[in-house]
């Protein structure tokens, strides 16, 4: 990664390069693709959902299964062909006949599933990123009209890049999402090195600029999209939350993915838990096992463990 190393040295200084480079590589690369996909024969549909906010049709992978749905958010290197949950896990198969529908938006590399201030310029394209508007307003309305999925009482679960926006949706859109799950998410985005690391990662991953997303780190948008700062709202809403992070040590599910990044992310996740409890939060599950790297195998395991809790919280009828 010589190009990224040069950027880090210029922006952060040589004294911290040895510590931060492995973490940023983990953010960028994430876990190796397992190319799992679910088995053939499942009732998976590939929808083209119109978005006035983004000025185009957005591809959405969908499996009907019930009145309420679980929206699954991807990582920083989200692809334009399939959602990473489909590429790297058998999520559709795990939730088949669960009483829950699955919704996987496709695309949104480096987007943090938020509404950007400016057009998103990267990978030789210029796009309008209004993901929060699409996922909390346009898509729920379309699914209600066309797929008999309720606009309210749903769940949203994200990994890595997608973890923070899942919690943010729970904070700001409690009617839409009564359940929010963050798996190895970056839950304190406005603090410390995180704004700078996010900017470096987005630049390396397609040339995107974090300033186009939320402006400089001093802009209120960074605080608005920081789950730790929105804990009071999550508690007041009574949002059911599920927060997971490994400790960076390879476990039974393998040693792929970044151990260093998971270790660094764990600190902010445990702090999030402590502040949530201190704020009077009582509707959370916190899983911090003594193993687990920044890898799809561990996130997939969590999604399977989460299933009974999701069914209960969303009132699934199997």
């Amino acid at each position: 990664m010589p190009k990224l190393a040069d950027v880090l040295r210029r922006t952060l200084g040589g004294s911290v390069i040895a510590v931060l480079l492995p973490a940023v590589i983990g953010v960028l690369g994430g876990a190796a693709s397992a190319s799992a996909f679910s088995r053939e024969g499942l009732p998976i549909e590939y929808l083209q959902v119109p978005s006035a906010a983004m000025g185009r049709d957005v591809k959405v992978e969908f499996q009907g299964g019930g009145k309420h749905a679980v929206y699954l958010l991807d990582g920083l290197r989200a692809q334009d062909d399939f959602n990473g949950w489909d590429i790297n896990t058998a999520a559709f198969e795990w939730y088949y006949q669960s009483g829950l529908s699955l919704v996987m938006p496709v695309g949104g590399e480096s987007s943090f599933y938020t509404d950007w201030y400016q057009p998103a310029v990267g990978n030789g394209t210029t796009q309008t990123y209004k993901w929060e508007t699409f996922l909390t307003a346009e898509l729920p309305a379309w699914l209600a009209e066309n797929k008999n999925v309720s606009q309210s009482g749903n769940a949203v679960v994200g990994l890595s890049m997608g973890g923070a926006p899942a919690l943010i949706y729970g904070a700001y859109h409690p009617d839409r999402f009564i359940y929010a799950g963050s798996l190895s998410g970056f839950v304190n985005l406005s603090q410390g090195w995180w704004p700078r690391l996010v900017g470096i990662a987005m630049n390396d991953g397609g040339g995107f600029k974090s300033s186009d997303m939320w402006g400089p780190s001093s802009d209120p948008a960074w605080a608005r999209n920081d789950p730790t700062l929105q804990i009071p709202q999550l508690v007041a809403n009574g949002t059911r939350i599920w927060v997971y992070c490994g400790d960076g040590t390879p476990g039974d599910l393998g040693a792929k993915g970044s151990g260093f990044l998971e270790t660094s992310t764990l600190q902010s996740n445990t702090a999030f838990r402590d502040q949530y409890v201190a704020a009077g939060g009582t509707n959370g599950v916190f899983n911090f096992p003594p193993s687990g790297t920044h890898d799809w195998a561990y996130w997939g395991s969590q999604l399977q463990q989460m299933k009974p809790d999701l069914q209960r919280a969303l009132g699934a009828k199997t």
Side-chain angles (χ1 to χ4, degrees):
M1 299 282 291
K3 179 180 177 183
L4 178 57
D6 290 341
V7 173
L8 281 168
R9 290 189 183 95
R10 290 196 302 270
T11 57
L12 301 183
S15 62
V16 296
I17 182 67
V19 175
L20 293 180
L21 181 57
V24 179
I25 290 173
V27 173
L28 297 175
S33 173
S35 298
F37 283 100
S38 298
R39 63 174 173 83
E40 294 184 5
L42 295 172
I44 302 168
E45 300 178 63
Y46 302 100
L47 312 174
Q48 292 292 332
V49 179
S51 170
M54 294 209 279
R56 63 182 177 87
D57 290 351
V58 179
K59 183 177 179 180
V60 176
E61 298 186 71
F62 175 77
Q63 179 173 272
K67 179 181 179 181
H68 297 291
V70 180
Y71 288 56
L72 294 178
L73 305 184
D74 209 339
L76 188 130
R77 290 193 177 276
Q79 300 177 194
D80 291 330
D81 50 0
F82 299 98
N83 184 293
W85 281 105
D86 189 20
I87 297 170
N88 298 290
T89 78
F92 281 122
E93 185 169 351
W94 297 334
Y95 278 71
Y96 178 56
Q97 296 183 330
S98 66
L100 298 169
S101 296
L102 279 192
V103 178
M104 299 186 189
V106 177
E109 181 180 20
S110 294
S111 69
F112 282 85
Y113 293 106
T114 190
D115 287 0
W116 284 39
Y117 283 163
Q118 303 293 334
V121 180
N123 285 335
T125 67
T126 299
Q127 305 176 62
T128 298
Y129 270 0
K130 297 292 182 183
W131 282 99
E132 184 170 347
T133 295
F134 176 70
L135 291 170
T136 65
E138 295 175 328
L139 181 55
W142 192 94
L143 290 173
E145 182 177 351
N146 295 277
K147 296 297 176 182
N148 196 33
V149 173
S150 175
Q151 294 193 58
S152 60
N154 298 306
V156 56
V157 179
L159 73 303
S160 195
M161 177 190 80
L167 293 169
I168 289 299
Y169 291 1
Y172 290 110
H173 306 280
D175 57 330
R176 294 283 187 259
F177 300 107
I178 63 172
Y179 194 117
S182 171
L183 311 179
S184 304
F186 313 132
V187 297
N188 205 187
L189 283 170
S190 69
Q191 303 300 307
W193 291 108
W194 280 108
R196 191 171 295 182
L197 292 176
V198 166
I200 293 169
M202 290 169 62
N203 179 69
D204 192 79
F208 295 92
K209 296 180 179 179
S210 62
S211 59
D212 291 338
M213 180 172 70
W214 294 329
S217 60
S218 59
D219 191 283
W222 285 88
R224 188 265 183 194
N225 288 284
D226 187 326
T228 298
L229 299 184
Q230 307 312 323
I231 285 174
Q233 193 62 41
L234 288 167
V235 173
N237 294 343
T239 308
R240 178 65 166 172
I241 63 173
W242 183 294
V243 177
Y244 158 84
C245 191
D247 74 344
T249 304
D252 294 340
L253 297 177
K256 293 180 180 179
S258 171
F260 190 99
L261 175 59
E262 199 74 355
T263 301
S264 302
T265 305
L266 178 61
Q267 298 173 9
S268 60
N269 276 261
T270 55
F272 178 94
R273 175 201 59 195
D274 295 344
Q275 292 183 47
Y276 176 83
V277 173
T282 59
N283 200 20
V285 175
F286 295 93
N287 283 346
F288 303 135
S291 65
T293 59
H294 208 73
D295 183 74
W296 282 102
Y298 297 95
W299 303 324
S301 175
Q302 284 297 302
L303 188 63
Q304 293 177 80
Q305 292 181 45
M306 205 182 301
K307 181 176 167 182
D309 198 56
L310 282 163
Q311 290 172 312
R312 178 197 58 77
L314 273 59
K317 297 180 180 180
T318 57

